[in-house]
Amino acid sequence: MAGAAIPPRRAPTRPGDDPVAAMPARQRLFDNGVNTVTFTAAEAPPPPGAGRALAVTFDPFRDLEVERPGFGETVLTRAGVDVLAVQKRRENWYQDISREAFAAGFGARIAAYERVLFYGSSAGAYAALYFARPFAAHVLAISPRASIHPSYAAHERARARWGASFRHAALEEGENRTLGTVLVYDPRLTADTLMADDMRYLEREILGAYPAAARLPIPYSGHPSARMLADAGLLKPLLFGCLAGKPLPDLLPDLPWRAARGRSPSHLLQLGRALLRHRRPAAAAAMCERALALRSDQAELFQLLAQIRQVLQDKPGALAALRQAVRLSPAAVAPRLRLVQLLRGQGGMEEAIALLREGLALAPEQPQMGAALLEMLRLRCERRMREGAVEEARADAREALAILGSEDDPADPGEALLHRSGLLAALGRQEEALEAAAAACAAAPGRARHHTHHAKLLLRAGELPRAREAAEAVVRLAPESAASHRLLGEVLSRMQLRAEAVEAAENALRHEPGNPRLHEYLLLMLKKAGRTEEAEAARERAIAAGLALPGQAARPAGLRPSAGN
């Protein structure tokens, strides 16, 4: 597609924009099917004496619309700056373009400008740092993040989630020809679990490659810090100051972020989260209300409000806040899944399933949405089976199996097989259910849940020796769980191994001595073993401890029967 012209399109409307202004023609210079490089000429001449300027911009994480203007493109072109926008159709952290190929393809074009800035936020900030190194250019990297880099603890999960592996050379490789680098970031380790990894990556990798980089840490600006800067009206001064090559100390008078942060909803959001973590829900609520007064269309603020309401035991308020978050950001995964979780605890299974179906239609590429719908359908299937609504239960099972069948490469094969086994069992396909359960145990041999399910299916099928093996595996994996010992006891009892079943029941009770059902179970096993005197003694101990057993009212602990009783 080299050299292909893209028709003019309207820019997205933003505060201060002319809603009828059309974008200038964009020229696609490179397209490998995933990443694109597009040139857009400035709409206006540069200011007198400023010289020709180019910004090489990189879209942030999960910005995947290559036909839309690139990161900062509209603001830059309207200010007389040409833009070379590097974008992506799927999240790959720009790994499909090497630094050498980029320099070979665009080096001459970039060198023709008097002033050049490489600019990006989040994943785009990482890319700006990586691709800028061979060029006589300035760099503005806001909240750099490369979560598929091996220095990130969860890089394997990110790689599996996005199907991208880290292939770039080290940042420090090759001669550094850049003229100056500014790093902006939040130094606080907030609720974002990746921020500790961000700081480690910055200290080890980025500063290793750019030791002279100027650092601008802005506490409670969040990730990415660009949102807070934009809220406070400070992003443009920072952007154009870096483009002009001003050192950070000379820029600081134009960046009064301490005075301006109070008008940033993003900053207030981060403060609210911090206050909630420090168990100050009333103060967090006040901060959240301040932020909502500034901007009432931000889903993250309603997510925070929901968390606060939950802490304050206001479940209706939490539900209302999460419903609003979903309305504002229908394709977002986090608020929808939190709402589903809350509804599940409130008995709102039907609404939860409807929300998940809608979410999966809006974001079919999100594995969490499909997994959550699968779980809810399984639970409803089991409930309907218990209620005798067999046909409705089987309809749920068929729908859930269809979801499983659509996953060519599930992120968690063991969990997928476990779900498949349970659904096949609900449909009465016992042999296939057992086969899937065995495969689930093989795929995840260290998970007690998988072996528990397998043991129960085998017990139901009357395959007692195999059921015993599976139940013993559960006990090995979860020796502190009363349920695991009880399961083994049930298998041993079916095998007529009375003494071993009593021992298993005693082990279960040892781990949950206050559970009346386990006392009842021990009594049953003792009676089946013909040990009636021991059963009666165990009953008296339970009653004396204040436990209510079937057919016997509880007695206050420590109260003994009188001689006349």
Side-chain angles (χ1 to χ4, degrees):
M1 290 183 63
I6 301 174
R9 61 183 287 112
R10 295 192 185 279
T13 303
R14 296 172 183 160
D17 281 0
D18 177 358
V20 299
M23 282 297 298
R26 307 176 78 224
Q27 186 180 22
R28 182 67 46 81
L29 304 178
F30 173 85
D31 189 340
N32 64 6
V34 178
N35 293 113
T36 63
V37 180
T38 305
F39 176 77
T40 305
E43 292 185 41
R52 293 184 67 218
L54 174 73
V56 185
T57 72
F58 300 85
D59 282 2
F61 177 67
R62 289 185 67 177
D63 268 24
L64 308 175
E65 299 282 346
V66 300
E67 304 304 331
R68 296 184 65 179
F71 183 63
E73 181 177 319
T74 305
V75 169
L76 288 158
T77 54
R78 288 179 177 176
V81 180
D82 291 349
V83 170
L84 199 63
V86 188
Q87 297 174 279
K88 45 198 161 56
R89 290 189 173 90
R90 65 174 173 81
E91 189 52 67
N92 69 340
W93 285 265
Y94 301 93
Q95 297 298 305
D96 289 4
I97 309 176
S98 71
R99 183 189 280 154
E100 293 74 21
F102 187 82
F106 305 103
R109 178 184 289 266
I110 292 170
Y113 286 85
E114 298 169 57
R115 292 182 292 130
V116 178
L117 176 71
F118 279 67
Y119 174 45
S121 171
S122 187
Y126 156 75
L129 291 162
Y130 172 75
F131 289 106
R133 196 168 177 82
F135 297 99
H138 290 272
V139 183
L140 173 56
I142 302 176
S143 305
R145 175 174 288 178
S147 44
I148 57 166
H149 189 276
S151 64
Y152 282 75
H155 74 278
E156 285 294 343
R157 187 163 68 243
R159 180 196 60 77
R161 165 70 184 84
W162 294 99
S165 56
F166 194 87
R167 303 190 302 276
H168 279 168
L171 280 179
E172 63 184 4
E173 186 175 295
E175 181 184 356
N176 178 18
R177 297 177 182 169
T178 58
L179 305 176
T181 299
V182 173
L183 303 172
V184 184
Y185 57 94
D186 184 346
R188 300 279 183 177
L189 303 183
T190 64
D192 187 332
T193 55
L194 289 175
M195 291 186 75
D197 288 341
D198 288 340
M199 292 303 299
R200 183 165 52 250
Y201 182 72
L202 185 145
E203 296 288 346
R204 295 178 183 175
E205 304 292 333
I206 296 175
L207 293 176
Y210 296 96
R215 300 164 67 169
L216 179 57
I218 304 179
Y220 300 112
S221 55
H223 181 93
S225 298
R227 294 176 190 162
M228 178 260 176
L229 291 167
D231 288 344
L234 302 178
L235 188 56
K236 283 185 183 180
L238 175 64
L239 171 60
F240 289 104
C242 289
L243 183 63
K246 290 184 180 180
L248 185 59
D250 294 348
L251 278 172
L252 288 177
D254 297 325
L255 301 171
W257 59 266
R258 287 183 178 85
R261 58 190 172 183
R263 61 176 182 262
S264 166
S266 297
H267 175 69
L268 297 172
L269 170 68
Q270 299 304 324
L271 284 177
R273 286 172 172 168
L275 287 164
L276 190 60
R277 285 196 307 277
H278 288 88
R279 300 181 181 179
R280 297 176 59 190
M287 202 63 65
C288 190
E289 293 297 338
R290 281 181 58 191
L292 285 168
L294 291 169
R295 184 169 182 179
S296 60
D297 62 347
Q298 191 168 334
E300 286 179 300
L301 290 171
F302 285 96
Q303 289 182 64
L304 173 60
L305 183 60
Q307 290 178 275
I308 295 167
R309 295 292 181 227
Q310 282 188 272
V311 170
L312 295 173
Q313 302 300 311
D314 177 9
K315 290 182 180 178
L319 282 169
L322 282 172
R323 287 187 177 111
Q324 181 63 10
V326 170
R327 279 193 289 270
L328 290 170
S329 188
V333 175
R336 191 175 289 267
L337 291 184
R338 285 178 185 147
L339 178 54
V340 164
Q341 185 178 28
L342 195 56
L343 287 166
R344 178 176 171 178
Q346 302 274 312
M349 184 175 286
E350 301 306 318
E351 183 183 351
I353 289 174
L355 281 163
L356 289 168
R357 284 173 174 155
E358 180 186 56
L360 194 59
L362 290 169
E365 79 287 355
Q366 293 289 350
Q368 309 102 303
M369 208 77 78
L373 178 56
L374 190 65
E375 174 69 6
M376 292 299 293
L377 288 169
R378 184 185 65 79
L379 290 171
R380 190 170 70 174
C381 173
E382 292 174 355
R383 188 199 72 194
R384 285 175 162 174
M385 277 292 188
R386 289 193 301 270
E387 294 171 349
V390 177
E391 288 307 314
E392 292 87 345
R394 288 179 173 173
D396 285 339
R398 285 189 287 270
E399 181 181 352
L401 282 171
I403 294 171
L404 278 173
S406 67
E407 296 181 0
D408 296 330
D409 184 20
D412 189 337
E415 196 69 15
L417 286 162
L418 181 67
H419 281 306
R420 179 174 177 78
S421 174
L423 295 165
L424 288 167
L427 290 170
R429 294 156 62 178
Q430 295 302 322
E431 289 187 11
E432 293 173 82
L434 282 168
E435 183 181 342
C441 293
R447 293 182 187 171
R449 285 176 59 242
H450 295 48
H451 293 277
T452 297
H453 173 73
H454 192 206
K456 288 179 177 179
L457 284 183
L458 290 165
L459 186 61
R460 187 187 305 167
E463 297 190 28
L464 300 181
R466 290 180 63 199
R468 180 178 182 175
E469 290 178 11
E472 287 173 342
V474 176
V475 171
R476 284 195 302 273
L477 291 168
E480 303 301 316
S481 165
S484 65
H485 292 282
R486 174 163 180 167
L487 174 63
L488 178 58
E490 289 175 2
V491 176
L492 293 168
S493 179
R494 284 277 299 276
M495 296 178 78
Q496 307 298 316
L497 299 172
R498 303 302 187 192
E500 290 93 331
V502 168
E503 182 182 358
E506 289 172 338
N507 287 333
L509 187 59
R510 188 175 299 114
H511 291 293
E512 285 188 29
N515 187 335
R517 292 185 177 276
L518 293 180
H519 282 273
E520 179 189 2
Y521 183 66
L522 175 58
L523 295 178
L524 179 63
M525 292 299 102
L526 286 166
K527 288 178 180 178
K528 283 187 174 183
R531 294 156 63 173
T532 54
E533 290 184 5
E534 291 177 64
E536 187 58 32
R539 175 183 289 277
E540 286 300 321
R541 286 194 300 272
I543 294 171
L547 297 172
L549 300 181
Q552 175 69 55
R555 182 185 299 138
L559 183 62
R560 299 291 181 185
S562 67
N565 289 339

